[in-house]
Amino acid sequence: MRRYFNLYKNIGARELRYYVHKMENCENIAPETIAEIKNRNLKTKKLLTLSDKENEIVSRYGIGANFLLNCIIFQEEEYEC
């Protein structure tokens, strides 16, 4: 299955797959992160062909998967050294 993701940051397909798999173990998102992503411009559109496992992960979150994916990317970027 192919799916488009609207992202605030231009990343490659390999990184995008990494973040999709991180969605599976996502427990909580900080309110500051949600506020920051809500104010960001989602300017990059990426097409990704999903495996069965990735499709299952994305389908679990439904329409909010794109927003959650951006939150996870932002959190990972924020905590990089």
Side-chain angles (χ1 to χ4, degrees), residues 7-8 11 15 21 24 28 32 36 46 49-50 52 54-55 58 76 81:
L7 306 170
Y8 77 92
I11 61 174
E15 286 179 284
H21 284 278
E24 185 175 26
N28 55 10
E32 298 84 20
E36 183 67 32
K46 287 287 184 179
T49 302
L50 301 173
D52 292 335
E54 293 164 343
N55 188 32
V58 172
E76 287 284 319
C81 295

Side-chain angles (χ1 to χ4, degrees), residues 8 33 36-37 40 70-78:
Y8 77 92
T33 303
E36 183 67 32
I37 293 300
R40 295 263 176 144
N70 279 298
C71 288
I72 291 172
I73 293 169
F74 183 78
Q75 280 186 331
E76 287 284 319
E77 181 180 275
E78 188 175 294

Side-chain angles (χ1 to χ4, degrees), residues 8-21:
Y8 77 92
K9 179 182 176 186
N10 190 11
I11 61 174
R14 186 174 286 175
E15 286 179 284
L16 187 55
R17 286 186 191 284
Y18 168 77
Y19 291 123
V20 167
H21 284 278

Side-chain angles (χ1 to χ4, degrees), residues 22-67:
K22 286 203 64 111
M23 282 174 44
E24 185 175 26
N25 300 325
C26 182
E27 293 178 9
N28 55 10
I29 302 291
E32 298 84 20
T33 303
I34 294 171
E36 183 67 32
I37 293 300
K38 192 168 183 167
N39 294 331
R40 295 263 176 144
N41 184 13
L42 304 179
K43 58 187 173 192
T44 305
K45 193 173 193 177
K46 287 287 184 179
L47 177 64
L48 188 65
T49 302
L50 301 173
S51 67
D52 292 335
K53 179 68 173 175
E54 293 164 343
N55 188 32
E56 180 183 313
I57 294 168
V58 172
S59 296
R60 183 180 319 148
Y61 294 103
I63 198 163
N66 192 67
F67 185 76

